Amino acid sequence: EREKIEMKIKKKGKRKKKGVMEQIRGSLGLTAPENSGWVNFTRVDLKTGSVMKRGRLLMTLEVVPIDLANRRKCGDGRNEPNLFPMLPPPEGRVDFMKMMVNPLYMIQTCLGDTLAKECGAGCCCILIIVGFIGGGVVLGPEIQILLSVLNMVPEDIAKFIVLGLVGSITLCCCWLCCCFCKKDKVKEEEEEDDWDV
């Protein structure tokens, strides 16, 4: 009885491993479609007579009656009518001409979407810090003049002026962030709508 329990535990462990591998394959887009199978390509070496593997091809073959084939017309490859089965455009292909012209596309392609966005946000933060330092150096005399003018103005009015400047700068930054976030959401919704069709 103990051996039966141990065998069940081993079988469950194997099922979990297979499930994990299937999840990894699914996330990479390596799952086999329905009614498909692998076709092995081999070559016989004429000198030794041994059979050498040359590759594999995942293939789907559907045999249908001529009446059904005439009713379900399909184009060649992805040409119209692209039905029975519908062949989606390939994903993950790199446009090398676009890479040569657009360095941002090259960075996004090499790093991926999420990492490219994180690196872009980091670069923006660095540019903002450098801008503040550079602005302080270049605009130092102008800032001194503004401070001297604020010192001449009564203290209550100077507080309102400073709060107004800080508030307007904060509102502008928030407005820019909202615009960028909205643009990303609209782009994601358009991509989802494309898949729904």
Side-chain angles (χ1 to χ4, degrees), residues 13-195:
K14 288 181 182 178
R15 286 182 194 155
K16 286 181 183 176
K17 288 180 184 176
K18 185 177 179 182
V20 171
M21 288 306 294
E22 289 298 320
Q23 287 177 353
I24 292 171
R25 285 189 186 122
S27 64
L28 295 174
L30 300 175
T31 55
E34 277 187 51
N35 303 324
S36 65
W38 288 96
V39 178
N40 293 319
F41 291 97
T42 58
R43 179 177 175 266
V44 177
D45 188 1
L46 298 176
K47 293 179 183 175
T48 62
S50 62
V51 177
M52 300 179 343
K53 289 184 179 179
R54 303 299 287 177
R56 294 183 344 162
L57 176 70
L58 181 63
M59 190 167 82
T60 302
L61 180 67
E62 187 175 349
V63 179
V64 294
I66 191 76
D67 300 344
L68 185 60
N70 289 333
R71 281 185 279 150
R72 293 178 12 179
K73 295 281 185 186
C74 291
D76 292 335
R78 290 186 187 88
N79 295 336
E80 292 297 326
N82 186 3
L83 301 168
F84 311 114
M86 197 286 264
L87 301 173
E91 294 180 10
R93 292 199 179 164
V94 178
D95 185 4
F96 289 105
M97 291 303 292
K98 194 174 179 183
M99 268 182 113
M100 288 183 212
V101 176
N102 188 353
L104 296 176
Y105 175 76
M106 180 177 66
I107 291 170
Q108 184 179 10
T109 304
C110 293
L111 297 178
D113 289 337
T114 54
L115 190 58
K117 285 181 183 178
E118 290 173 4
C119 289
C123 289
C124 286
C125 290
I126 290 171
L127 285 174
I128 289 170
I129 291 169
V130 168
F132 275 119
I133 292 171
V137 171
V138 173
L139 299 175
E142 286 80 6
I143 293 172
Q144 288 293 329
I145 292 170
L146 178 68
L147 290 175
S148 62
V149 168
L150 287 176
N151 284 335
M152 286 188 258
V153 175
E155 193 173 315
D156 295 336
I157 297 172
K159 286 181 184 179
F160 283 118
I161 292 172
V162 170
L163 286 174
L165 287 172
V166 170
S168 60
I169 291 171
T170 305
L171 285 174
C172 289
C173 291
C174 291
W175 180 74
L176 286 173
C177 290
C178 289
C179 288
F180 285 121
C181 291
K182 187 175 182 181
K183 186 178 178 183
D184 288 341
K185 286 181 183 177
V186 168
K187 194 181 259 187
E188 288 174 4
E189 287 174 1
E190 288 174 358
E191 289 174 1
E192 289 175 5
D193 290 341
D194 291 343
W195 282 107

